[in-house]
Amino acid sequence: ATDLVEDLVKPYPVKVKRKRAKHITVNDPDEIPPIEANVRSTPGIITTRGCCYAGCKGVVLGPITDVIHIVHGPIGCSYYAWMTRRNQADVPESEQDFLKYCFSTDMTTNEIVFGGEKKLAQAVREAYEIFHPKAIDIFSTCPVGLIGDDVHAVAREARKELKIPVFAFSCEGYKGVSQSAGHHIANNGLFKNVVGTEELPAEAKTNPFRVNMLGEYNIGGDAFEIERLLNACGIQLVATFSGNAQLAELAHSQDANLNLIQCHRSINYMATMMETKYGIPWLKVNFIGAEATAKTLRKIARYFGDDELTARVEIVIAEELAKVEPVRQAVRARVEGRPVMLFVGGSRSHHYQSLFRDMGMPVVTAGYEFAHRDDYEGYQVASTIKVDADSRNIEELTVEADPEHYRARKSPEELERLKASVDIADYKGMMPEMAKGAMVVDDISHHELEQLIETYHPALVCSGIKDKYVVEKMGIPCKQLHNYDYGGPYAGFRGAVNFYQEIDRMVNSPVWGFIPTPWEKQSA
Ligand code: CFM
Ligand code: HCA
């Protein structure tokens, strides 16, 4: 297997070879090997990473429906980010919905040379006059940082003038090494300016089983399915960060009694800060996969420790699985044993392994674009990671228990006791759940991806738009796990059924047989 690593990096120059080899490892779930992650990509290598602005505006804050998101930058940064992430929302008619709009200052040479603050202030004013939104946020793109526009001063002035919250985010694209920096900046801003600024109304506080869903962005309607299941179980969803979200929900989210984390990579910051300030414990969950969803619902029930809730959760699981099972088994019979490769952002390469496990499809190699070592190896390594110059750039908030609003949800003894049955404040990461000998590749390059395809001859590659057609030209179907190829939902039980059927259709389509793969051509 180490020969495989050698092979993958063989064509690179010596220095690049040494660097890339640290990002590639052969998995051993019993003795997790360390992997290099969250460092700068090697210049000259084609990778699929995005930028800080993508993580801040595109991922974490963009899905909030009733806030106007103004991008301060050249029009391209907005145009190419417009609705591409396909987060859905179901906005009540009485509320404003800006999701389908695209707001930009359209920065041009004039502002690059003479400064763009005036144009930004004017854009904020204009947006307010036309729409009268509850709040406005401003996002800096690369040139803003380079010329030094003070977006925070513009936001301060606008706040005084318009008397609504206006927040600015210094998420210039080049900050950090990927979109990961943008997640952190977005979380900091939400935590400082939004969370805890309102209270949950008393009539909404009667159900003790109140949760927030963190790191769920409602791509393809996943959050709708999760909410349906929580409702069916009698669990109250206070806020989702930030799929199908409105500002007020995030503002009173400190009144929940448990934070559930779906995408750990993009939002672990929020969970730990809310735990320290408000006393809300967090639980890593996974709603991707039927087995995983059942396990997740049981974990939540164990946390609350209520007999009635536990019974209701079991009824929901039994009813739902009864509908899932026939489809799962029929599909499994047609796809079992067919190998899969998974290369997606910072969490799905892990979560989707559960769906493939449901179908009996082995994941032979997987990796993230921009996740950190803890997402690979587990939460226990998080505190040991050396902070390098690129990450030190990003503000780390100092958080303390709020003297008025801190409320311990469980006593320390209860929490300790619970830890035996529920992994509170822990995350196992991708590698402990992967097979021994599977290849793990961080921030994969196109060369490495193509070579792995030739090595493994997978039945399916899961990835994104930057390599979908490269893969399909090699005669292998490629399922986009970012935008779901406009399908979905894939979360929860109904989502699992959608996914099984979709994968069945893809890998068993006769069309792939009409295109000889490069290795078939070679042997012909
Ligand atoms: Fe989390 Fe996401 Fe992902 Fe992500 Fe993304 Fe995304 Fe992704 Mo694209 S927050 S890490 S920064 S699950 S946009 S909804 S699909 S790369 S695996
Ligand atoms: C981003 C967003 C993205 C890109 C998807 C892709 C998404 O990184 O800015 O590369 O196919 O999910 O839309 O991750």
Side-chain angles (χ1 to χ4, degrees):
T2 32
D3 294 349
L4 258 178
V5 182
E6 291 272 299
D7 260 10
L8 269 188
V9 300
K10 204 190 290 160
Y12 294 142
V14 180
K15 262 172 121 176
V16 176
K17 201 185 285 188
R18 212 179 303 134
K19 201 164 156 16
R20 280 304 301 156
K22 293 186 194 152
H23 294 259
I24 307 170
T25 183
V26 179
N27 191 46
D28 182 353
D30 301 319
E31 208 169 319
I32 305 288
I35 187 165
E36 181 105 291
N38 188 36
V39 298
R40 286 184 193 193
S41 297
T42 311
I45 279 189
I46 308 173
T47 91
T48 42
R49 278 179 166 176
C51 70
C52 181
Y53 152 73
C56 185
K57 189 268 180 190
V59 174
V60 177
L61 294 159
I64 305 171
T65 53
D66 55 353
V67 174
I68 286 190
H69 310 291
I70 298 183
V71 177
H72 188 30
I75 195 64
C77 301
S78 292
Y79 190 78
Y80 292 107
W82 190 7
M83 288 305 292
T84 53
R85 225 165 122 264
R86 219 178 144 259
N87 32 258
Q88 301 183 7
D90 178 14
V91 182
E93 249 170 59
S94 58
E95 298 292 335
Q96 285 180 298
D97 177 9
F98 302 115
L99 208 57
K100 289 178 183 61
Y101 288 86
C102 172
F103 297 89
S104 164
T105 55
D106 183 19
M107 203 174 210
T108 58
T109 322
N110 192 56
E111 287 79 52
I112 303 285
V113 176
F114 299 106
E117 289 175 17
K118 278 205 197 91
K119 197 173 188 187
L120 174 62
Q122 184 49 34
V124 174
R125 211 170 285 128
E126 196 179 313
Y128 182 77
E129 278 161 12
I130 299 172
F131 295 100
H132 297 280
K134 286 186 204 132
I136 294 177
D137 47 20
I138 298 165
F139 300 91
S140 300
T141 61
C142 295
V144 174
L146 298 177
I147 66 173
D149 275 357
D150 187 348
V151 292
H152 302 279
V154 174
R156 231 172 7 249
E157 285 305 309
R159 214 148 43 214
K160 272 192 238 149
E161 183 185 319
L162 308 174
K163 314 235 164 359
I164 58 161
V166 181
F167 325 111
F169 293 86
S170 294
C171 55
E172 290 84 356
Y174 56 76
K175 264 199 188 163
V177 301
S178 69
Q179 46 271 70
S180 178
H183 302 147
H184 199 163
I185 291 169
N187 278 258
N188 286 350
L190 267 187
F191 185 76
K192 273 198 289 200
N193 299 306
V194 178
V195 173
T197 55
E198 284 177 31
E199 255 186 58
L200 194 61
E203 67 272 18
K205 277 195 205 175
T206 53
N207 184 346
F209 317 130
R210 292 198 298 277
V211 303
N212 295 318
M213 193 62 210
L214 305 189
E216 169 48 57
Y217 304 96
N218 204 21
I219 309 301
D222 279 352
F224 297 145
E225 166 68 0
I226 293 171
E227 187 166 5
R228 179 184 77 83
L229 289 172
L230 293 175
N231 280 341
C233 295
I235 297 161
Q236 180 185 342
L237 182 61
V238 178
T240 300
F241 287 66
S242 52
N244 191 29
Q246 286 162 16
L247 197 63
E249 297 162 6
L250 308 179
H252 61 217
S253 59
Q254 82 288 354
D255 276 329
N257 287 327
L258 176 64
N259 275 330
L260 306 175
I261 304 191
Q262 173 69 25
C263 170
H264 174 265
R265 181 62 270 135
S266 60
I267 210 148
N268 62 82
Y269 321 93
M270 183 59 76
T272 50
M273 291 191 289
M274 284 178 82
E275 182 178 29
T276 308
K277 185 165 177 185
Y278 300 108
I280 310 175
W282 63 270
L283 192 59
K284 174 73 184 76
V285 296
N286 181 19
F287 280 101
I288 301 293
E291 284 299 324
T293 299
K295 202 170 139 195
T296 287
L297 292 174
R298 289 191 175 116
K299 258 188 2 182
I300 302 170
R302 273 204 301 277
Y303 168 82
F304 285 113
D306 177 271
D307 290 343
E308 241 174 79
L309 175 68
T310 306
R312 217 160 35 231
V313 161
E314 288 305 328
I315 292 170
V316 170
I317 292 174
E319 279 175 5
E320 296 286 336
L321 280 183
K323 287 178 240 165
V324 172
E325 270 309 287
V327 185
R328 187 177 76 88
Q329 283 178 21
V331 170
R332 193 179 168 118
R334 287 190 290 268
V335 300
E336 191 159 17
R338 317 262 301 265
V340 181
M341 293 173 41
L342 277 169
F343 290 96
V344 210
S347 83
R348 295 187 172 174
S349 301
H350 178 197
H351 292 145
Y352 276 75
Q353 296 197 21
S354 307
L355 268 170
F356 288 111
R357 213 171 297 127
D358 288 354
M359 290 184 279
M361 295 175 82
V363 175
V364 287
T365 168
Y368 301 117
E369 289 170 27
F370 52 77
H372 300 198
R373 276 184 57 205
D374 40 318
D375 305 293
Y376 286 105
E377 301 168 50
Y379 195 60
Q380 73 285 352
V381 302
S383 55
T384 69
I385 297 173
K386 279 200 284 322
V387 182
D388 65 12
D390 290 305
S391 301
R392 210 168 289 126
N393 251 330
I394 317 300
E395 186 188 13
E396 194 70 57
L397 300 184
T398 315
V399 184
E400 283 166 11
D402 188 300
E404 248 176 273
H405 297 104
Y406 184 94
R407 184 165 58 80
R409 277 23 182 214
K410 302 255 179 198
S411 70
E413 299 79 49
E414 270 176 311
L415 275 181
E416 233 8 82
R417 207 166 339 111
L418 258 176
K419 275 188 182 155
S421 57
V422 190
D423 46 356
I424 296 169
D426 195 14
Y427 171 40
K428 297 267 174 302
M430 168 202 280
M431 289 158 83
E433 291 189 354
M434 273 181 85
K436 191 174 173 137
M439 290 276 281
V440 182
V441 186
D442 175 66
D443 189 19
I444 197 168
S445 73
H446 272 209
H447 154 71
E448 289 153 12
L449 183 72
E450 286 175 34
Q451 187 155 326
L452 284 171
I453 291 174
E454 296 212 12
T455 306
Y456 286 109
H457 303 172
L460 178 74
V461 174
C462 295
S463 184
I465 194 61
K466 292 153 199 157
D467 33 43
K468 177 176 174 86
Y469 298 102
V470 176
V471 175
E472 297 200 332
K473 281 174 187 165
M474 295 178 84
I476 309 268
C478 179
K479 176 71 194 163
Q480 293 190 76
L481 284 192
H482 297 262
N483 69 4
Y484 295 172
D485 291 307
Y486 319 105
Y490 296 140
F493 296 111
R494 288 188 186 165
V497 167
N498 286 338
F499 197 74
Y500 304 152
Q501 288 170 334
E502 169 80 350
I503 296 309
D504 185 17
R505 264 195 300 268
M506 284 185 92
V507 304
N508 289 318
S509 164
V511 74
W512 307 110
F514 302 144
I515 317 165
T517 61
W519 49 92
E520 279 163 347
K521 271 192 231 157
Q522 255 163 35
S523 59

